[in-house]
Amino acid sequence: MKTRNPLLLALFITAALLQTVSWNAHAGMATVHGSLKSSSYSAYANYLKTFANYFKNNGASLHAISLQNEPDWDPHYEGYTWKAAQFDMFINCG
């Protein structure tokens, strides 16, 4: 175990399965209507991979990662909405 992060260390000791959720991609990846641009799918996938690798490189591999927190809720603040077809296109884009 090479991490010094006490939370990650505690999770490792208890053999927990880690699942994480992305809040949003950064604003440059968004359309004006609050969706992920299809032209940003590859960049967002790389962002999620970098995030997962950070955990792995610190001794805590992720069991699962969700693409978006509350994907069908349209918040009154800056955020994304995802439709089922957009999830399908993103997951199958590569």
Side-chain angles (χ1 to χ4, degrees):
M1 169 53 76
K2 63 188 208 179
T3 186
R4 294 182 189 194
N5 183 313
L7 177 59
L8 291 179
L9 183 59
L11 290 170
F12 179 78
I13 291 169
T14 61
L17 293 177
L18 298 178
Q19 176 178 333
T20 187
V21 177
S22 174
W23 196 263
N24 291 346
H26 64 77
M29 296 181 181
T31 67
V32 295
H33 303 294
S35 297
L36 183 66
K37 295 176 189 173
S38 59
S39 61
S40 295
Y41 285 0
S42 181
Y44 188 52
N46 286 328
Y47 168 80
L48 294 174
K49 182 178 179 180
T50 300
F51 181 75
N53 284 339
Y54 171 81
F55 274 83
K56 182 179 179 182
N57 293 337
N58 285 280
S61 295
L62 296 177
H63 174 73
I65 188 167
S66 176
L67 300 178
Q68 176 71 32
N69 183 48
E70 299 175 320
D72 58 353
W73 181 60
D74 190 11
H76 61 277
Y77 51 83
E78 185 178 314
Y80 288 175
T81 56
W82 287 71
K83 304 293 182 213
Q86 291 169 305
F87 273 116
D88 185 55
M89 288 185 340
F90 179 82
I91 291 167
N92 293 300
C93 74

